[in-house]
Amino acid sequence: MSALTDLLAFQRQTEALSSVAERLGWDQETVMPRGATDQRAEEMGAMEEVLHERRTDPRIGEWLDRADPQSPADIRAVALIARDYARTSRIPARLASELARLTSLAQGIWAEARAKDAPEDFLPTLDQVLMLKREEAACLADGGDLYDALLEDYEPGMTGARLASLFDTMRPRLVALRDDVLGADQPQALAGHFPQETQLRLARACATAFGYDWTRGRMDLAVHPFSSGRWQDSRITTRVVETDPFNCLYSTIHEVGHSGYEQGIDPDYAFTPLGRGVSMGVHESQSRIYENQMGRGRAFTGWLFERMSEAFDGLNITDPDAFYATVNRVTPGYIRTESDEVQYNLHVMLRFDLERDLISGRLDTSDLVEAWNARFLKDFGVAVDRPANGVLQDVHWSVGLFGYFPTYALGNVYAGCLNQALRTAVPDLDTSLARGDATPGTEWLRETVQRHGGLMLPTEVIEAASGRSISPEPLLDYLERKFGQIYGL
């Protein structure tokens, strides 16, 4: 066999084992017994040790030297394997295993601390995670910026400086829009009791409307909604608050965007480096365009209004146009995942700045609660009422995902570019959305973005699909137009 054949066969097994490890993580966040935390940490550590050994196997370097890929897919696959081999080889096996073990433990500690509003129970563990992530970053940075080294795992080619410049450009228009909207008359809030089982039935209907393939997926409950898996097994989770059905329904649509991306990748790329979303920013572009530009648009909310009115035997909102305004209501709030489109990116910017300071050492974990609360008050004009609504609300830092947060806002920027092109390519999209059928939109995204998997660089995917250079202008224009109409600005 050729070196290329041997390399891809070896990679296929590594990808399969990686999927098994990911399934362990899904199990931990959904159905694992609470008492199994220590055991799962050992299992995750052992799996990571096996994967690290495979990813740094000296034969990979030998195969890479002799590989002679010819097709665009093989050329890109080899490039991705070489990139991962170079990065992983810099990380000691001890560090990789300890990170997997500790972050598995930390996730449970975070969940308990969040439930008890007790940051003091979590911060010592977070400090340990942070120390290991700094060590990992130092291994990868080669003397460069530590945060950039971690960001590379989630958005290849992006830097903290470029993101900071992007956010500085976006912030003034977002703040001005937020201030104008909050100074206007507010739409009526949805009120009532919305039983869990009814919400979940509606969530399944929404997932189906957005093309989720139930033969290759399932939906479960989690503290923090997420999607997991790829190829023939891509799962989603949601959460239920019985006074707020939008939390469940739009979390579901969001995760369907992620899972739909994985389900939409060319099946020929399964068990190769091309068989996954190319970056978290591109991933977020899919979840956000599903959730917001399509899911919170006037057409789809009209369909949702009818379904919710039937399911809950009437709502306190009796008009579909008023319901559309209610779905898009802008109010001060603590929780990023529940935030409206206007303020969401401001939540991300706060986390981006804090985690950069944590990685650089400018901020200690012992001062994190105070720093979070002060920044939140400055940015949102509201004092954090309790830690679960503040520093403890997100799972990301507990599992070591430093560098992940900014990709949420970057995904919104990408989604703005894609939505502009989508509306031109599919001018009658709202006609289908009004029937509860997002197929024309999801098929366009599948053809232009999702099927490519990792074949192109993140910016190449978005620019090819949208037909324009990446810019925040389409997103900001969309937000000002949409919320200006809703609030009569």
Side-chain angles (χ1 to χ4, degrees):
M1 291 193 294
S2 69
L4 177 62
T5 301
D6 288 340
L7 176 65
L8 294 180
F10 187 85
Q11 182 68 26
R12 183 179 183 86
Q13 289 185 320
T14 303
E15 295 284 348
L17 288 169
S18 179
S19 292
V20 173
E22 187 173 1
R23 200 94 69 252
L24 287 174
W26 168 86
D27 179 86
Q28 180 171 352
E29 294 196 49
T30 53
V31 297
M32 186 189 81
R34 290 177 60 189
T37 301
D38 290 345
Q39 177 178 326
R40 183 53 47 85
E42 291 298 321
E43 293 167 351
M44 295 292 279
M47 283 294 296
E48 184 56 36
E49 193 167 334
V50 170
L51 284 166
H52 187 273
E53 183 176 348
R54 290 187 64 85
R55 289 167 177 155
T56 58
D57 190 310
R59 289 178 296 174
I60 294 177
E62 297 170 4
W63 288 324
L64 286 169
D65 288 340
R66 294 186 288 112
D68 184 26
Q70 298 298 313
S71 71
D74 285 346
I75 292 171
R76 177 64 172 158
V78 167
L80 289 172
I81 293 171
R83 171 187 174 275
D84 290 345
Y85 177 65
R87 284 176 64 80
T88 308
S89 295
R90 293 181 176 183
I91 301 171
R94 166 204 56 81
L95 176 58
S97 177
E98 179 60 15
L99 263 170
R101 187 197 66 81
L102 180 60
T103 52
S104 182
L105 282 174
Q107 183 178 342
I109 294 170
W110 162 78
E112 293 287 343
R114 182 178 183 272
K116 295 191 298 182
D117 268 318
E120 64 276 8
D121 291 351
F122 171 59
L123 291 178
T125 303
L126 177 60
D127 196 57
Q128 296 176 50
V129 173
L130 181 60
M131 293 302 103
L132 293 179
K133 293 302 292 185
R134 285 175 178 162
E135 183 181 352
E136 179 187 46
C139 293
L140 297 170
D142 196 24
D145 185 87
L146 298 183
Y147 189 79
D148 287 352
L150 298 177
L151 181 60
E152 185 72 13
D153 278 336
Y154 309 108
E155 198 65 24
M158 186 55 64
T159 67
R162 287 175 59 194
L163 286 168
S165 177
L166 174 67
F167 294 163
D168 286 346
T169 299
M170 296 171 63
R171 187 179 287 108
R173 286 176 66 177
L174 291 173
V175 170
L177 178 59
R178 189 264 308 275
D179 291 347
D180 287 345
V181 165
L182 291 181
D185 292 336
Q186 291 297 314
Q188 184 179 0
L190 188 66
H193 176 255
F194 306 91
Q196 174 169 305
E197 289 307 313
T198 307
Q199 287 195 43
L200 291 176
R201 284 199 299 273
L202 277 172
R204 289 184 65 88
C206 287
T208 300
F210 279 85
Y212 188 59
D213 184 349
W214 293 101
T215 69
R216 297 188 288 154
R218 55 178 289 137
M219 184 173 73
D220 295 270
L221 293 173
V223 173
H224 190 114
F226 68 100
S227 65
S228 177
R230 59 188 70 95
W231 312 317
Q232 296 178 354
D233 188 349
S234 183
R235 309 178 186 193
I236 60 173
T237 63
T238 191
R239 65 181 169 200
V240 173
V241 178
E242 294 201 337
T243 58
D244 179 16
F246 295 149
N247 194 317
C248 174
L249 299 179
Y250 283 100
S251 290
T252 301
I253 295 172
H254 180 99
E255 299 308 332
V256 166
H258 282 302
S259 198
Y261 185 2
E262 297 293 340
Q263 291 182 341
I265 293 173
D266 188 328
D268 288 343
Y269 297 159
F271 298 105
T272 79
L274 308 185
R276 64 175 76 100
V278 67
S279 76
M280 289 315 305
V282 177
H283 240 299
E284 282 301 317
S285 77
Q286 302 306 284
S287 61
R288 296 298 281 178
I289 198 171
Y290 277 44
E291 176 190 357
N292 292 327
Q293 282 93 338
M294 290 194 284
R296 295 185 192 271
R298 187 183 297 271
F300 186 77
T301 59
W303 175 85
L304 184 60
F305 170 72
E306 294 179 3
R307 298 304 174 277
M308 288 183 66
S309 296
E310 295 169 359
F312 297 114
D313 195 23
L315 302 172
N316 67 309
I317 313 293
T318 59
D319 174 79
D321 288 334
F323 182 80
Y324 165 65
T326 296
V327 168
N328 291 285
R329 193 166 178 259
V330 178
T331 58
Y334 303 110
I335 305 299
R336 173 187 61 85
T337 57
E338 300 170 11
S339 177
D340 52 81
E341 291 181 81
V342 173
Q343 300 182 93
Y344 182 90
N345 293 303
L346 298 175
H347 284 270
V348 173
M349 293 172 192
L350 177 154
R351 289 155 175 77
F352 168 68
D353 289 339
L354 291 179
E355 72 175 16
R356 284 183 86 194
D357 286 346
L358 285 169
I359 292 297
S360 70
R362 293 188 296 267
L363 176 63
D364 293 330
T365 54
S366 59
D367 299 320
L368 180 58
V369 175
E370 181 181 355
W372 179 293
N373 291 349
R375 174 66 183 269
F376 193 88
L377 180 61
K378 176 178 179 291
D379 284 5
F380 295 92
V382 178
V384 175
D385 60 345
R386 60 193 185 96
N389 285 336
V391 73
L392 291 178
Q393 67 178 267
D394 292 301
V395 70
H396 301 63
W397 290 339
S398 72
V399 293
L401 297 180
F402 290 89
Y404 192 115
F405 274 122
T407 65
Y408 287 123
L410 191 59
N412 281 330
V413 171
Y414 291 166
C417 297
L418 292 173
N419 182 60
Q420 188 179 67
L422 168 61
R423 294 292 173 165
T424 299
V426 190
D428 59 347
L429 174 60
D430 281 344
T431 302
S432 296
L433 288 170
R435 299 194 301 267
D437 179 14
T439 300
T442 57
E443 285 188 345
W444 184 85
L445 290 166
R446 181 160 295 184
E447 177 63 25
T448 60
V449 177
Q450 296 169 4
R451 70 180 178 89
H452 300 298
L455 184 63
M456 295 183 276
L457 295 171
T459 52
E460 291 175 342
V461 174
I462 300 302
E463 290 178 351
S466 64
R468 58 163 298 147
S469 59
I470 293 166
S471 163
E473 299 301 318
L475 172 67
L476 297 171
D477 291 346
Y478 152 80
L479 291 173
E480 290 169 349
R481 181 172 60 253
K482 174 178 180 177
F483 288 91
Q485 291 172 351
I486 292 173
Y487 281 87
L489 301 178

